[in-house]
Amino acid sequence: MRRAEKLASQHPFAAEILGFYIHLARFQQGLGEKLQHVSADPSALLSPRPEFTELLAGFPEFLSLIQDKAPARFAEVARELRNSAPSSWSELLNHSWGNREAPDISDEFLSIAFLQPYAETIRSRAGLQIEGYTHPLCPFCNRKPGFGVLRQQGDGARRNLLCGFCLCEWEFRRVLCPACGEQDQARLPVYTAAQFPHMRVECCDTCHTYIKSTDLTKNGLADPLVDELASVPLDLWAQERDYAKLRPNLFGM
């Protein structure tokens, strides 16, 4: 939240989405704290067990927040969901939990944002062993990565991928497309911009996808989720050149 506040003051074009993210992150933090006592079982999400009643009980508050603070297109979806039957909420959340593909409608993006603290909670308790794991899909939830991260390693930097849903992070080869497996460095251009010197647009000229990465060796104060949101001009630049994002972020960008 502090990082979002700082970037909002530096980049007026991103102030609206970062301001909304601050409200969302505060809600997610509170929901995550409430879930600390829950016996997290990913196979039983939203079952009739009592602990999941608490998760669903927070959905109306979440929808109110979205309706009041979100950009117009999400606010309208939240209003429609609030006016729908609560049984449809369970159906939506169950669908979003089980769907490994990127959401393509606004209500799915909202449900992913709501479920994220729960996904992070059960992932952190799963005892996941990721040493030696180098596949392109998240080792916990099997989704495509939402971000890349470069972290200091010796005299260079190692490349990690970060799941935008459960926030799992795992190591991945520097010269390899996570979408199609292309290994030819000449077909894997990396672009940067002076406005965001620590942000990288890692493209593939074989499958025409891209993923944005945060280079923490250049800015150790950056936050991959927040800085990815603040650097939306890089998305516009990539998409104008016919690259498609590997997986959209929580706001469909």
Side-chain angles (χ1 to χ4, degrees):
M1 287 183 279
R2 288 192 296 270
R3 180 64 177 169
E5 289 173 349
K6 181 175 182 179
L7 291 180
S9 65
Q10 294 176 349
H11 303 303
F13 58 82
E16 180 184 22
I17 195 66
L18 290 172
F20 170 50
Y21 176 76
I22 291 169
H23 292 290
L24 175 62
R26 188 173 292 117
F27 174 87
Q28 290 180 325
Q29 181 183 44
L31 181 60
E33 291 171 354
K34 292 177 182 178
L35 294 172
Q36 289 305 305
H37 68 280
V38 169
S39 176
D41 178 4
S43 66
L45 177 69
L46 304 180
S47 74
R49 290 168 51 182
E51 58 263 37
F52 293 116
T53 302
E54 182 173 349
L55 182 62
L56 278 172
F59 200 54
E61 179 186 353
F62 172 77
L63 293 178
S64 294
L65 171 70
I66 300 301
Q67 191 172 348
D68 292 342
K69 304 296 184 181
R73 70 185 181 100
F74 285 117
E76 177 61 23
V77 172
R79 185 191 65 79
E80 293 176 356
L81 283 172
R82 285 194 69 191
N83 292 332
S84 63
S87 59
S88 67
W89 303 345
S90 296
E91 294 174 3
L92 172 62
L93 296 175
N94 269 307
H95 170 77
S96 299
W97 179 264
N99 182 20
R100 300 297 184 260
E101 300 302 319
D104 56 7
I105 55 177
S106 296
D107 56 357
E108 289 188 37
F109 283 105
L110 291 184
S111 59
I112 288 292
F114 176 75
L115 289 169
Q116 190 178 58
Y118 182 76
E120 184 180 8
T121 295
I122 63 173
R123 191 265 306 160
S124 65
R125 299 181 186 180
L128 194 65
Q129 299 297 321
I130 60 174
E131 185 175 354
Y133 182 89
T134 58
H135 298 289
L137 298 180
C138 174
F140 178 69
C141 69
N142 209 38
R143 287 170 167 82
K144 293 178 182 178
F147 322 97
V149 185
L150 293 185
R151 296 186 181 276
Q152 189 73 43
Q153 186 176 56
D155 294 330
R158 75 174 190 272
R159 180 195 192 191
N160 288 3
L161 298 179
L162 180 63
C163 178
F165 183 49
C166 70
L167 304 185
C168 182
E169 185 176 331
W170 67 100
E171 192 168 351
F172 196 72
R173 282 175 51 189
R174 287 284 297 266
V175 185
L176 182 65
C177 173
C180 72
E182 177 62 71
Q183 303 179 61
D184 183 355
Q185 188 168 5
R187 298 194 64 80
L188 298 171
V190 175
Y191 300 98
T192 58
Q195 189 176 16
F196 309 99
H198 63 294
M199 296 300 298
R200 297 158 51 96
V201 183
E202 299 173 350
C203 301
C204 177
D205 287 338
T206 298
C207 65
H208 297 283
T209 63
Y210 77 96
I211 187 171
K212 286 162 66 181
S213 290
T214 304
D215 190 344
L216 296 179
T217 69
K218 293 184 177 180
N219 187 341
L221 299 178
D223 180 282
L225 276 74
V226 178
D227 285 64
E228 199 277 338
L229 286 174
S231 57
V232 67
L234 298 181
D235 292 286
L236 299 177
W237 179 91
Q239 291 162 15
E240 287 173 355
R241 286 155 181 79
D242 295 324
Y243 291 109
K245 200 169 193 177
L246 183 58
R247 186 178 178 92
N249 58 36
L250 286 178
F251 304 114
M253 298 188 300

